[in-house]
Amino acid sequence: MAAPSIAMEVNCQSNFKLSKGEKKSLRKQNKARHTLLRHEGIEAVSYSTQSLVVANGGLGNGVSRKQLLPAFEKCGLVEALLMPPNKPYSFVRYKTTEESQNAYVSLNGKEIVDDLGQKVILYLNFVEKVQWKELGLQALPPGLTVVEEIISSEEEKMLLELINWTEDINNQNCQKSLKHRRVKHFGYEFHYENNNVDKDKPLLEGLPDICDSFLEKWLAEGYIKHKPDQLTINQYEPGQGIPAHIDTHSAFEGEIVSLSLGSEVVMDFKHPDGVTVQVMLPRRSLLVMTGESRYLWTHGITPRKFDTVQASEHYKSGIITSDIGELTLKKREIRTSFTFRKVRHTPCTCSYSLVCDSQRKETPPSFPESDREASQLEQEHVHRVYEEIAGHFSSTRHTPWPHIVEFLKALPDGSIVADVGCGNGKYLGVNHELYMIGCDRSKSLVDICRERRFQAVVCDALAVPVRSGACDACISIAVVHHFATPVLFYSSFCPPIPAALASLCSTPCFLILGTLLLSDDVLFPHSASYQRTSGKGWQECRAHLLSAI
Ligand SMILES: [Zn+2]
């Protein structure tokens, strides 16, 4: 029999030659193939290849790596066993087609015992390639590399001893103790107010000599292509982190490198479309970010004391997959990072204009002419900004405003309250006797709410997915001034155009804070609060506000 025709042969065998059991198995195998194609877009091929998709052999149906791998290893040298999280299938790739054929013959339609001791039957099909990206399987962000063991333990020690956190008499190197970490700058000071450097004012002292020799070496060895002239040293205690951010395009060139010392850490990378990849940065490794990973993906470190990491001994750098069979917890230790960047002196011309401050069009403010324009305006100047600054925004907004706390505490126990534009959820936990639902247009902020175990959804403040009259009260704090048009604004506030906010509560019981635009030329910086007991109707509320101007 010609080697590459097993699958075809199995599938084309005349059904009379098969026993009843074999026919059933064949039907199930075909069914598995169709399901994978229909639901997952995984296309099986009718000839043998090195890779197989294993239906029923996935983490999603309780089969762990520990159970599956030995079975496949008996058939040949397994190059990779890829088990996507929560999926009822996996992929196995062999070194040769012969080995994958072996596996096909020995394991297709065969039983395996899952983690709960139940038997599952595996159905195998050949695939041309293992579909990483299409399946949302994780790969490193493009342009990112992690070079392991770039320095020795002795060199690490030397670098760590170089930093004198305790005394910096002239504060020459701009030491700062930020809220979440200690930081020191060399070459140029980095200003957190505008996330930029003062390019005309290099610091008196440049980069430490020892760093210079490392940089020269990395350049010569090809790990980096440009010599940095700015260094930021960050020190993180366990539990500390850095909010997700993209280094300002106009501030630094396209290659940013970061040396991890003292301890490993897991860094989160996030693509604007929501894909998140956790990358392990081992101790003494160099993270090199270029291209897409530097310009388009945000990176940050979640403040926590433990990281979820791969369990295998041989695993060092790279992505943390969500493979439950391979995960374990690792306690964080003090990590010091040396981040080297090259200050940019010409505008950035990257191909990621959406996130590029050099390419941001500065148009004079004007009223949008259509809903479409208004929505674009909001998208660009409100939603995108909040997505980008969510981490920082959240970390600077801890203290609830007393007026709002008072309002929430005065509500009857058990009231259902919507917080429209809830941000990081700072009001959602103010009164535990209320049932509060938050919503915000920024996914990143809603993620923060969820981490804090609040109920929150992503939505537009003018299309809140809550049934009219379902709430007893509603707050919307510092939101309305973000709406782009008077139409949108009025529609949210006035009864003649019943809109999201107005219709949420059964009786007017609102707290709206923001700079309210009540007529074409009057800005009304005020708060408007209408308690349930006031019994004021919408017309009265509006009249009250207008009379106060
Ligand atoms: Zn750019």
Coordinates of all heavy atoms in Angstrom, one line a residue, residues 247-250 252 294-295 344 347-359, ligand 1:
D247 N 4.7 52.0 24.7 CA 5.7 53.1 24.8 C 5.4 54.1 23.7 O 5.3 53.7 22.5 CB 7.1 52.5 24.7 CG 7.5 51.7 25.9 OD1 6.9 50.7 26.2 OD2 8.4 52.2 26.6
T248 N 5.3 55.3 24.1 CA 5.0 56.4 23.1 C 5.8 56.3 21.9 O 7.1 56.3 21.9 CB 5.2 57.8 23.8 OG1 4.6 57.7 25.1 CG2 4.6 58.9 23.0
H249 N 5.2 56.2 20.7 CA 5.9 56.1 19.5 C 6.9 57.2 19.2 O 8.0 57.0 18.8 CB 4.9 56.0 18.3 CG 4.1 54.8 18.2 ND1 3.5 54.3 17.1 CD2 3.7 53.9 19.2 CE1 2.9 53.2 17.3 NE2 3.0 52.9 18.6
S250 N 6.4 58.5 19.5 CA 7.2 59.6 19.1 C 8.4 59.8 20.1 O 9.3 60.5 19.8 CB 6.4 60.9 19.1 OG 5.9 61.1 20.5
F252 N 10.3 57.1 21.4 CA 11.4 56.1 21.2 C 11.3 55.4 19.9 O 10.3 55.3 19.3 CB 11.3 55.0 22.3 CG 11.4 55.6 23.7 CD1 10.2 55.7 24.5 CD2 12.5 56.1 24.2 CE1 10.3 56.2 25.8 CE2 12.6 56.7 25.5 CZ 11.5 56.7 26.3
R294 N 6.0 46.0 19.5 CA 6.4 47.3 20.1 C 5.4 48.4 19.8 O 5.1 49.2 20.7 CB 7.8 47.7 19.6 CG 8.3 49.0 20.1 CD 8.0 50.2 19.2 NE 8.5 51.5 19.6 CZ 7.8 52.4 20.4 NH1 6.6 52.0 20.8 NH2 8.4 53.5 20.7
Y295 N 4.8 48.4 18.6 CA 4.0 49.6 18.2 C 2.5 49.4 18.5 O 1.8 50.3 18.7 CB 4.2 49.9 16.7 CG 5.5 50.5 16.4 CD1 6.3 50.0 15.4 CD2 5.8 51.7 17.0 CE1 7.5 50.6 15.1 CE2 7.0 52.4 16.7 CZ 7.9 51.8 15.7 OH 9.0 52.4 15.4
R344 N 13.8 58.9 20.1 CA 13.5 59.2 18.7 C 13.6 60.7 18.4 O 13.1 61.5 19.2 CB 12.1 58.7 18.3 CG 11.7 58.8 16.9 CD 10.3 58.6 16.7 NE 9.9 57.1 16.9 CZ 10.0 56.2 15.9 NH1 10.5 56.6 14.7 NH2 9.7 55.0 16.1
P347 N 9.7 62.3 13.6 CA 8.3 61.7 13.9 C 8.3 60.2 13.5 O 9.0 59.8 12.6 CB 7.4 62.5 13.0 CG 8.1 63.8 12.7 CD 9.6 63.4 12.7
C348 N 7.5 59.5 14.2 CA 7.3 58.0 13.9 C 6.5 57.9 12.6 O 5.5 58.6 12.4 CB 6.6 57.4 15.1 SG 6.3 55.6 14.8
T349 N 7.0 57.0 11.8 CA 6.3 56.7 10.5 C 5.8 55.2 10.5 O 5.8 54.7 9.4 CB 7.2 57.0 9.3 OG1 8.4 56.2 9.5 CG2 7.5 58.5 9.2
C350 N 5.5 54.7 11.6 CA 5.2 53.3 11.7 C 3.9 53.0 10.9 O 3.2 54.0 10.5 CB 5.0 52.8 13.1 SG 3.5 53.5 13.8
S351 N 3.5 51.8 10.7 CA 2.3 51.5 9.9 C 1.1 51.2 10.8 O 0.2 50.5 10.5 CB 2.5 50.4 8.9 OG 3.3 49.3 9.6
Y352 N 1.2 51.7 12.1 CA 0.1 51.5 13.0 C -0.5 52.9 13.4 O -0.5 53.3 14.6 CB 0.6 50.7 14.2 CG 1.3 49.5 13.8 CD1 2.7 49.5 13.7 CD2 0.6 48.3 13.5 CE1 3.4 48.4 13.3 CE2 1.3 47.2 13.1 CZ 2.7 47.2 13.0 OH 3.4 46.1 12.6
S353 N -1.0 53.6 12.4 CA -1.4 55.0 12.6 C -2.5 55.1 13.7 O -2.5 56.2 14.4 CB -1.9 55.6 11.3 OG -2.9 54.8 10.8
L354 N -3.3 54.1 13.9 CA -4.3 54.2 14.9 C -3.8 54.5 16.3 O -4.4 55.1 17.1 CB -5.1 52.9 14.9 CG -6.3 52.8 15.8 CD1 -7.5 53.7 15.3 CD2 -6.8 51.4 16.1
V355 N -2.6 53.9 16.6 CA -2.0 54.1 17.9 C -0.8 54.9 17.9 O 0.0 55.0 18.9 CB -1.7 52.7 18.6 CG1 -3.0 52.0 19.0 CG2 -0.9 51.8 17.6
C356 N -0.6 55.6 16.8 CA 0.7 56.4 16.6 C 0.5 57.8 17.0 O -0.3 58.5 16.3 CB 1.2 56.2 15.2 SG 2.8 57.0 15.0
D357 N 1.1 58.3 18.0 CA 0.9 59.7 18.3 C 1.5 60.7 17.3 O 1.0 61.8 17.1 CB 1.4 60.0 19.7 CG 2.9 59.9 19.9 OD1 3.4 58.8 19.4 OD2 3.6 60.7 20.4
S358 N 2.5 60.2 16.6 CA 3.1 61.1 15.5 C 2.2 61.3 14.4 O 2.2 62.2 13.7 CB 4.4 60.5 15.0 OG 5.5 60.5 15.9
Q359 N 1.3 60.3 14.2 CA 0.5 60.3 13.0 C -1.0 60.7 13.3 O -1.9 60.6 12.5 CB 0.5 59.0 12.3 CG 1.8 58.6 11.8 CD 1.9 57.2 11.2 OE1 1.0 56.8 10.4 NE2 2.8 56.4 11.7
Ligands
ZN1 ZN 4.1 55.2 15.3

